[in-house]
Each structure stands twice: as C-alpha cells, then as structure tokens.
Amino acid sequence: MKVEALHWVELSQRSLKYNIHSLATLAGPKRTLAVSVKANAYGHGLPEVVSLLTQYPEVDYLTVHSLAEAVACRENGWTKAIMVLGPILLQELDAVLTLNLEPMIFNRQTLAQLGKLGDKAGVPIRTHLKLETGTGRQGITEKELPGFSKIYKKYSSLGAPYGAAMHFANIEDTTNHEYAELQLQRFLNMLKLLQQLGITPQIRHTACSAALILFEKTRFELVRPGIAVYGHWPSKETYLSYYLKGGKNNLFKPVLSWKCRITQIKKLPADSFIGYGCTYRTTSPTRLAVLPVGYFDGYDRGLSNLAYVLINGKRAPIRGRVCMNLMMADITDIPGVKLFDEVVLIGQSGDEEITAEQVAGWAGTINYEILARISPQVPKIVIQ
Ligand SMILES: *Cc1c(COP(=O)(O)O)cnc(C)c1O
C-alpha cells in the first residue's frame, strides 16, 4: 500500500490555466490582468500558485494584501509587477523600492515617506491612489484629495499617481447594481477632481471578479480578479446576473480539491456517543472512520454534525464535533471502505462532488472564507 500523504490539497494546473484564459478573454487584449494571490492565494498556497502564474504571459500583475505576501511572491520567482493593496508600516517602506512594489495609497504619512525615500534614491515610485466611493474601508475621501495632491507635487519621485482605484461594496451580494453604479459615478467625479488638481493617473482600476464578469464599464485599464482565478463564482447573485444576460456556466473550473485519508476504522454499537460534548449518539450499530483533519487545518467547527465528505464516490456524514486535529465520518452504508482510503472534503469522488459553495452553505459563510481559511500548513500538490 502506498500512502503519500495523510492530508493534502490538490491544485489542478489545467483548471487554473482555463480560468486565466477565461479572465484574459473577458479583460480583452488591451487591459492588464492583475491576479490576486492574497490570503495565501485564497487558501490554495501562495508559493505554488505564484510559481504556476509565472508561466502565464496573460498575467501581468499580482495583487497582495501585505508586504510579507509581496516578499513571498518575489521569493517564488515573480519578477513582474506587484500591487500591495493593504497597509505597510512606515519603517518598512524601503521594501517598496528594493522589491519594486506598487503600493495602494490611503494615508498621507505613507505617501510622504515614500516620496522622501524615492527622492533620496532618485527612483520613481508607482503608487495607486485608493479612492473612497462608498465601501467605507480603505480609501481617501474627496475632501482629502487636495492634501494628497500637494504631496504628489512635492516629491519628484512620485510624479502623479500611476493608478487610481476603488473597490465595490455591493456588487456580488445582489442582483441590483444601483449602488455599484453610484460608486462608479463617484469614482468618475473624483477622477475629474484629480485632473483639476493636476495629478492625472495613467490607469484606472475598479474591477474585482464580479465587476469584471458583469460590467464592461468597470474594467478600465486594469482588472483585479481574485476568487474567479481559482474557479469560483463570487456569489449565486453574480452567476444569476450573468446567466440572465445570456452567459453560460462554463467560465471557470475549481482549481482546488481538499483530501485526506482514513486513519482509523471502528465499529460502535447503538447508543454510543461520538466526539466532544457527546453531541451525536448512534441509533444503530455504526461503522465510523476517523479523519486526520480538524479546525486547526481550517475545517470549520461549525460543520460539526452538518457536513459530508466523499468516500468511494459516496457521501459520508460528519458525526459529532469537528475536533482540533480530527473528525469522524459515518461509513456504515458505504461498502468496502478500508484503512487509508482517500476522503474528499472538497472536490470530486466518482460521480459525486462537494463544492466549496456547499461547504460554505453548511457552515453559514461564503466560499471565499472556506477556501481562504484552509491552513497554509496543509501540503499542496500540483497535478495536471
Ligand atoms: C480581494 C480584492 C479583489 C479581488 O476580489 P474578488 O472578489 O476575489 O475577485 C479586488 N480588489 C481588492 C481591493 C480586493 O481587496
């Protein structure tokens, strides 16, 4: 018997390529495709995903949240542009120059410090100005624009912002896109103000996956998809909006499968309790499989007594609470199950499939969270 690993994530290279092709086609040849690898590449493993993305000429940029992620991109061979969407400490801003990063700007202090560093080194710095248009998150308000324009003009290394950006608050959660329209209007107004202030950005970007899929007018010069790269729709509402416009559900294929092996099989009599808190009790003789995955690995404890896994193409219900490193599945009705047989937590087995979307539904959350919280410690295996 050959047991390669007890618990792992498989990444389909073919699906990733397919999704990149779909997104590049949506973006069209004139736009820049910036792929999000934040949150450990949405749980898929940043090192593995970045190594694969280096092979695709369609991908010009990576977007990350943190400086640590930007460093990891460089360490894994990414030589093209990197946009850092999240904050960087002032004392760490020299990394923007040494690693050639493009930070999103939403603090005056950050911009001024970058200007100082850039002027001192005589190196131009590409920044992206994040505009607050109604997400109530990172971004600068209209009133703050003159203050920022002064800093841009003070430091020659800054010039004008390379990019102007915004992020939609309510594009994937609804089929009514009025609020997105309002945000887009505010964005265009703020761009006019920037022009009047004499700091016209070279490129504009607003489009997450849902915006890119649904609305041409959000695409501007660069698009920033995340979840769709990994083969997942941002939401049911996004798919519905797309479908009602005549689109077909063949744009994306899931890249990730999450698997483990059965590490113990046992028989329990009727009336036996299973797991912490004795939340499950058998009603008949039960065959139980112990699985080496728990909430430490990112399998949500909220899935206790709710989720299913797949074994030999059949559904096995999770019994009792999900533990820190272990959980239990009922295999009474699945014939022929053996020790170290493969178990699918997310993905296909025979004709059956469990999707990240189904798991998210059971856990009361969204596919993004189910994927992003898969522990970075789970080994990643790249397959064809
Ligand atoms: C995460 C993120 C994206 C990508 O969003 P998806 O819905 O995963 O496509 C785009 N822009 C910003 C600013 C983000 O934070």
Side-chain angles (χ1 to χ4, degrees):
M1 186 192 344
K2 194 167 163 244
V3 180
E4 295 94 355
L6 288 173
H7 176 199
W8 70 101
V9 153
E10 267 171 29
L11 303 175
S12 160
Q13 217 171 327
R14 190 174 295 142
S15 297
L16 183 65
K17 196 166 186 171
Y18 182 91
N19 302 334
I20 294 291
H21 179 74
S22 283
L23 291 166
T25 306
L26 276 173
K30 295 207 182 93
R31 292 192 188 89
T32 299
L33 179 59
V35 163
S36 180
V37 294
K38 69 190 179 191
N40 193 33
Y42 288 56
H44 291 60
L46 182 145
E48 291 77 10
V49 170
V50 168
S51 302
L52 291 173
L53 291 175
T54 55
Q55 301 163 25
Y56 304 149
E58 301 97 319
V59 184
D60 309 294
Y61 262 81
L62 297 181
T63 66
V64 296
H65 175 69
S66 67
L67 180 56
E69 289 169 343
V71 171
C73 291
R74 289 288 181 240
E75 284 172 356
N76 284 282
W78 183 259
T79 54
K80 291 189 256 183
I82 299 176
M83 194 189 298
V84 184
L85 304 174
I88 304 176
L89 281 170
L90 295 181
Q91 61 266 36
E92 294 188 328
L93 281 174
D94 39 338
V96 168
L97 286 83
T98 52
L99 296 176
N100 192 19
L101 309 177
E102 301 184 15
M104 199 72 101
I105 298 297
F106 38 84
N107 290 321
R108 271 182 297 137
Q109 295 87 335
T110 305
L111 187 62
Q113 179 64 17
L114 276 172
K116 275 183 210 155
L117 291 171
D119 279 12
K120 196 169 152 211
V123 176
I125 295 175
R126 271 190 178 183
T127 59
H128 298 259
L129 197 55
K130 187 73 172 284
L131 304 176
E132 171 63 79
T133 61
T135 302
R137 211 172 73 171
Q138 281 172 349
I140 67 170
T141 60
E142 209 173 293
K143 281 200 180 126
E144 295 174 285
L145 287 177
F148 277 79
S149 92
K150 273 190 199 137
I151 303 171
Y152 273 109
K153 286 174 180 165
K154 181 170 172 190
Y155 299 101
S156 59
S157 57
L158 296 177
Y162 177 66
M166 61 151 273
H167 193 53
F168 289 106
N170 200 23
I171 203 154
E172 55 259 329
D173 301 289
T174 174
T175 52
N176 174 348
H177 295 107
E178 267 171 49
Y179 194 71
E181 294 281 353
L182 175 70
Q183 283 194 273
L184 204 53
Q185 269 317 310
R186 289 178 177 161
F187 182 63
L188 295 172
N189 287 339
M190 288 176 85
L191 287 171
K192 262 187 216 142
L193 285 172
L194 283 176
Q195 197 169 13
Q196 285 163 14
L197 289 165
I199 52 161
T200 307
Q202 286 183 48
I203 66 166
R204 303 158 294 175
H205 48 97
T206 71
C208 56
S209 298
L212 166 60
I213 295 164
L214 295 178
F215 302 110
E216 160 124 47
K217 62 184 167 189
T218 66
R219 294 176 193 161
F220 295 101
E221 287 77 44
L222 176 149
V223 293
R224 313 186 302 256
I227 193 89
V229 171
Y230 305 96
H232 296 269
W233 284 83
S235 62
K236 278 186 193 138
E237 289 80 357
T238 307
Y239 176 62
L240 192 60
S241 302
Y242 172 77
Y243 179 77
L244 292 175
K245 285 187 192 178
K248 294 203 185 77
N249 187 13
N250 58 1
L251 275 184
F252 313 117
K253 294 179 182 173
V255 170
L256 175 145
S257 305
W258 191 359
K259 298 182 177 179
C260 71
R261 291 183 194 280
I262 297 172
T263 50
Q264 190 188 354
I265 292 176
K266 70 173 77 173
K267 282 186 182 141
L268 294 177
D271 298 325
S272 307
F273 287 114
I274 299 175
Y276 288 124
C278 297
T279 60
Y280 188 86
R281 192 169 200 180
T282 59
T283 53
S284 53
T286 297
R287 212 163 165 245
L288 200 68
V290 181
L291 312 179
V293 179
Y295 56 79
F296 171 65
D297 304 293
Y299 200 85
D300 200 305
R301 189 167 172 278
L303 293 165
S304 300
N305 287 311
L306 275 180
Y308 295 84
V309 295
L310 299 177
I311 301 170
N312 293 349
K314 297 247 187 296
R315 288 189 173 212
I318 297 298
R319 297 299 195 209
R321 290 211 180 124
V322 173
C323 317
M324 191 179 276
N325 300 111
L326 299 169
M327 59 189 186
M328 287 70 81
D330 190 335
I331 53 168
T332 311
D333 298 321
I334 309 178
V337 179
K338 302 184 306 299
L339 183 67
F340 296 128
D341 273 359
E342 185 176 288
V343 180
V344 174
L345 315 182
I346 293 177
Q348 290 181 352
S349 172
D351 296 333
E352 261 282 25
E353 181 174 13
I354 290 177
T355 63
E357 289 68 27
Q358 280 170 322
V359 176
W362 295 329
T365 182
I366 53 175
N367 50 3
Y368 290 76
E369 186 178 358
I370 293 299
L371 294 167
R373 292 182 69 189
I374 297 174
S375 168
Q377 297 188 40
V378 179
K380 311 298 185 301
I381 299 172
V382 177
I383 58 167
Q384 253 313 304

